[in-house]
């Protein structure tokens, strides 16, 4: 049972336009959400996060939106640049017996076209 | 330079052999994690450790073992009992106070022949 889902395996966007990556979750106990960027054969790099008490967090070209009622979050990248081409994972955090556990989506491969 | 190191980057083993993957961090983080990534899938949690000498099973612990004798080190052993050991293995760490962000090492690609 997939608790965190990224329903788009891939997304292609023109350079300079906005990229929107989506993520849905089912567990209402998740209290913190993160986005990671990953290149092939490398470890994921942390991009941006949001606490469940907020609905928006912004860092430069990256903005994450959280809609708790819909159990949906999205990552907006604007303007998109060629270096943004990578796989993006959303992750949701849950505290279980004092330990944080992250549950990851399957990832979305973003390709920025010149 | 603070960070997480995993060695080696690529590892080949014959079927039936145990193999140990190294993970070291100098970030002074208390918690450490091991994940596995398979093609087209997200990361799945194998084991995690909140403090030295203590660790818990994640979602897919069968066929794996860990130890946490030092704060900086969290080695993962892939045993011959693991049915599909070929995968990309990622180690992560996190402070147990402050933001809940986990930081990842560069990963080890294990191929069992």
């Amino acid at each position: 049972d997939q608790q965190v889902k990224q329903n788009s395996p891939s997304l292609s966007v023109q350079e300079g336009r906005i990229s929107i990556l989506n993520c849905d979750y089912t567990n209402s106990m998740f209290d913190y959400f993160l986005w990671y960027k990953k290149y092939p054969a490398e470890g994921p790099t942390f991009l941006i996060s949001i606490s469940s008490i907020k609905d928006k967090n912004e860092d430069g070209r990256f903005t994450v939106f959280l809609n708790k009622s819909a159990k949906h979050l999205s990552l907006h990248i604007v303007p998109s640049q060629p270096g943004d081409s990578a796989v993006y994972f959303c992750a949701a955090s849950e505290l279980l017996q004092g330990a944080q556990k992250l549950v990851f989506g399957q990832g979305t491969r973003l390709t920025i076209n010149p | 330079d603070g960070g997480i190191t995993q060695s080696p980057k690529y590892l080949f083993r014959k079927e039936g052999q145990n193999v140990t993957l190294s993970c070291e961090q100098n970030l002074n983080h208390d918690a450490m994690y091991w994940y596995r990534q398979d093609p087209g899938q997200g990361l799945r949690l194998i084991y995690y450790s909140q403090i030295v000498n203590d660790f818990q099973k994640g979602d897919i612990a069968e066929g794996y073992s860990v130890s946490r004798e030092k704060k900086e080190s969290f080695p993962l052993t892939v045993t011959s009992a693991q049915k599909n050991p070929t995968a990309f293995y990622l180690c992560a760490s996190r402070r147990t106070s402050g933001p809940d962000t986990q930081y990842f090492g560069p990963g080890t690609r294990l191929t069992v022949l």
Side-chain angles (χ1 to χ4, degrees):
Chain A
D1 184 24
Q2 196 112 33
Q3 295 187 77
V4 178
K5 287 186 183 178
Q6 293 176 256
N7 290 316
S8 298
S10 62
L11 177 66
S12 188
V13 174
Q14 195 168 1
E15 182 179 358
R17 298 289 188 104
I18 183 171
S19 295
I20 301 176
L21 294 95
N22 294 303
C23 181
D24 296 296
Y25 62 95
T26 57
N27 187 344
S28 57
M29 298 304 293
F30 290 142
D31 60 358
Y32 191 71
F33 301 88
L34 308 91
W35 283 95
Y36 287 88
K37 176 182 179 180
K38 187 180 181 302
Y39 295 116
E42 293 186 13
T45 303
F46 169 70
L47 267 181
I48 192 169
S49 61
I50 188 166
S51 165
S52 59
I53 62 174
K54 294 187 175 181
D55 55 18
K56 177 182 173 181
N57 189 26
E58 198 170 345
D59 184 1
R61 295 186 299 116
F62 302 93
T63 303
V64 56
F65 295 92
L66 176 62
N67 183 333
K68 282 183 68 178
S69 59
K71 293 191 176 68
H72 176 84
L73 67 154
S74 61
L75 174 68
H76 292 210
I77 306 173
V78 55
S80 300
Q81 299 174 354
D84 296 330
S85 295
V87 177
Y88 289 78
F89 289 98
C90 70
S93 171
E94 182 180 26
L95 268 182
L96 287 174
Q97 297 173 330
Q100 182 218 39
K101 288 182 67 177
L102 286 184
V103 180
F104 284 83
Q106 310 94 303
T108 296
R109 180 177 301 279
L110 175 64
T111 302
I112 305 302
N113 301 309
Chain B
D1 240 314
I4 303 172
T5 56
Q6 292 184 244
S7 60
K9 180 72 174 172
Y10 299 96
L11 192 52
F12 296 88
R13 279 295 181 269
K14 291 184 179 177
E15 196 171 337
Q17 288 182 332
N18 290 356
V19 60
T20 297
L21 281 60
S22 165
C23 177
E24 305 277 331
Q25 55 97 2
N26 61 5
L27 299 167
N28 200 32
H29 286 175
D30 294 301
M32 297 186 74
Y33 304 78
W34 273 105
Y35 293 89
R36 165 185 175 137
Q37 187 194 12
D38 294 285
Q41 294 193 36
L43 283 65
R44 292 184 291 167
L45 182 64
I46 304 172
Y47 266 98
Y48 61 103
S49 168
Q50 293 285 100
I51 56 172
V52 174
N53 293 323
D54 187 50
F55 47 82
Q56 287 78 38
K57 292 182 179 179
D59 301 317
I60 55 165
E62 186 175 348
Y64 299 98
S65 65
V66 293
S67 63
R68 186 86 187 275
E69 297 176 2
K70 298 187 299 182
K71 186 176 183 178
E72 302 80 20
S73 178
F74 190 39
L76 173 75
T77 297
V78 185
T79 74
S80 56
Q82 167 50 231
K83 302 249 186 291
N84 297 296
T86 294
F88 189 53
Y89 290 87
L90 288 156
C91 178
S93 71
R94 181 184 81 93
R95 289 184 300 161
T96 50
S97 60
D100 287 338
T101 305
Q102 291 184 20
Y103 295 92
F104 285 83
T108 293
R109 173 72 186 176
L110 172 66
T111 302
V112 175
L113 306 169

